[in-house]
Every structure is written in structure tokens, then in C-alpha cells.
Amino acid sequence: MTRGVTNGRAGRARWAPAVLTALGLLAGACGSGPGSGTATGTPTVRQSSPAATSPTPSATTAVGSLVAGRYQPLWPFADERQARDWQESYRSGGHQPWHLDAERTALSFTQGFLGFTGVDRVVKRTVTGADARVSVGIRGEGGGRPGIAAVIHLVRFGTGPDAPWEVVGTDDTTFSLTTPRYGALVSSPVTVGGRITGVDESVRVQVRAIGSTRPLGERCCVSAGGDDAPWSATVTFRADPGRTLTLVASTGGHVAEVERFAVTGVRVAR
């Protein structure tokens, strides 16, 4: 991802011996559990930034308030009003307590919102106050050590001890998404790019938004590879002016369908 004023990009995929048990299954989006439709735990080369969706998605969701005054709200809330609505329902009836769990929120974003169901475990978690980094990953090759697919950046949205976690981006290491810049105003078609280290990589780019179960635009696939080599793609999409979008770049195919990914948050120009 890009930097939510900082950056958030995908973490490294690593493969080595030792099996980690997959972390919980994803429940339905904003239903009875975390789900469909969504630290600096590893060394960060560059940050790309945060992203989000909403518990009560709307096809016409417009730009909402920034998270902590600086980050794009990517998932699961489109704006602070939605976060407050959840707080009220939680206080009155204990509704959807998973919003208070950074790990479950990160996995729900990955599996539910992005659709990367093979990325099914938390490898590392770092929480500092209202800021968290959760490294999500895949089973290691041959049952070995899990590989990190991305380091997801989350920030508490709103105030109070029950302020929910919001995904705002990813931290980049060997695979980054730095163009367009985090928080930029974009229009269709949009050029997306970054840098990558790897061999025979195939990069897929998607444009996603709260309230849409399918990508608003997609480009597959762009051949890439090398040592910190540049990659880029142009994607066409359809979205209402003012809407917050999550740009997603992913690569894989050696050990798993998705081995690394990065996201950034942008807005559609009015």
C-alpha cells in the first residue's frame, strides 16, 4: 500500500520450514462476524498507505472523514459516522465485537474484501496504542514456515476505548504499490505501479470499493521481475466522483495463487 500519509505496502513472501495453523475462518461481511465484502511487523522499505470498506455498504458511498485526520478509510467503515454507529450498537448489545480485534479485522479485509482466501493466517502482530501492524500470510511450502503476504496497517477509528480498527494501508517491502500516491485524486483510466523483487512474477491489479462485491476495474496480468525492478499497469474503472477506492496489486503462482499483495487508498476526482 501507500503511506496513509505514511505508506502501507505488501510484506514479503517467505518460505522456510515450520507449519502454522490457519487462523479462523471469515464470517459474512458485517454479519455475525468479520467478513466479506477486510505493523510494522516486518522491515519496511517504503510505505504505501491505508484502505477500507464498510459494514453497511452503499453503492454511492462518498468520501468520509479521514482516520486519525490523515489516513484513507479503506475497511470496514467508510467514514467516522459508520464507526460511531457500530460503537452504539456494540455498547447496547455487544454487536460484532470482532471490530475490536486487529487480527480478525486484518484477516477479514484480506479474505473477505480482497478475496484472497488462501492468505489465511496471522504471522505477526504489533500494536502500539491506536496503531497496529498485522502480518498476514500463507502456509509455508512443504509445511514449512509461513510466508508473509502483506503487512496490514490498521488505526483506531474514532474515540473511546471501544473505537474499532480500520484498515488504512499496507507496508511495502519486496513488492510495493507507490503510484498513484496515497490519498491522490484519480480518474479512469489510472496508471498503477511500484517496484518488485522476484522471478517470473505476474501482477494483477484491481480497483475495489466499499459496497461492491466485485472489482470496479481489473487488469491481469503484467509480467514483472528482477531486483527492485519497476512495474506498472493501466486500469479502467467506473466509480462515482468523490468515492474512496482501494487499489490492489497482487502476485503469486509459485507456491500459492496470491503470495504477496499491496494496497493503497485514493479518491475519485469530482
Side-chain angles (χ1 to χ4, degrees):
M1 288 203 59
T2 46
R3 33 175 346 176
V5 175
T6 74
N7 321 0
R9 288 302 142 228
R12 313 181 178 184
R14 296 176 187 161
W15 336 108
V19 177
L20 260 193
T21 303
L23 275 163
L25 294 176
L26 179 67
C30 287
S32 56
S36 60
T38 180
T40 316
T42 59
T44 300
V45 172
R46 51 181 77 81
Q47 291 176 316
S48 289
S49 177
T53 9
S54 128
T56 50
S58 165
T60 57
T61 301
V63 175
S65 52
L66 296 177
V67 183
R70 54 192 306 213
Y71 299 108
Q72 298 295 316
L74 301 184
W75 196 88
F77 303 100
D79 54 38
E80 191 170 1
R81 176 189 58 77
Q82 290 189 351
R84 286 199 305 268
D85 288 346
W86 171 78
Q87 279 181 298
E88 291 178 5
S89 67
Y90 174 73
R91 291 169 182 172
S92 62
H95 187 56
Q96 299 175 344
W98 63 269
H99 287 298
L100 298 177
D101 188 320
E103 292 187 12
R104 294 184 69 190
T105 300
L107 278 176
S108 296
F109 171 75
T110 301
Q111 297 186 303
F113 182 56
L114 300 183
F116 300 155
T117 56
V119 182
D120 60 2
R121 61 204 62 212
V122 169
V123 180
K124 188 172 182 178
R125 170 182 182 268
T126 302
V127 178
T128 305
D131 191 275
R133 258 82 176 186
V134 177
S135 300
V136 295
I138 62 176
R139 182 186 301 274
E141 186 174 12
R145 182 178 180 181
I148 294 177
V151 181
I152 297 176
H153 184 193
L154 305 96
V155 176
R156 293 276 193 179
F157 204 175
T159 59
D162 58 354
W165 288 106
E166 180 82 6
V167 174
V168 295
T170 54
D171 288 349
D172 299 328
T173 53
T174 59
F175 181 43
S176 67
L177 197 174
T178 55
T179 300
R181 64 178 176 77
Y182 185 72
L185 295 178
V186 302
S187 57
S188 180
V190 59
T191 297
V192 180
R195 306 190 76 83
I196 189 169
T197 293
V199 179
D200 296 328
E201 302 295 333
S202 181
V203 179
R204 178 190 298 269
V205 178
Q206 294 183 331
V207 179
R208 289 188 171 271
I210 293 172
S212 298
T213 57
R214 295 185 179 184
L216 303 180
E218 184 170 11
R219 170 74 186 278
C220 186
C221 292
V222 177
S223 297
D227 185 8
D228 194 31
W231 68 269
S232 66
T234 299
V235 187
T236 300
F237 66 88
R238 296 184 63 182
D240 295 332
R243 195 170 189 184
T244 298
L245 302 177
T246 299
L247 302 182
V248 190
S250 61
T251 184
H254 303 96
V255 176
E257 182 179 1
V258 174
E259 296 164 357
R260 289 179 288 174
F261 69 89
V263 306
T264 193
V266 297
R267 291 178 295 149
V268 182
R270 293 182 181 277

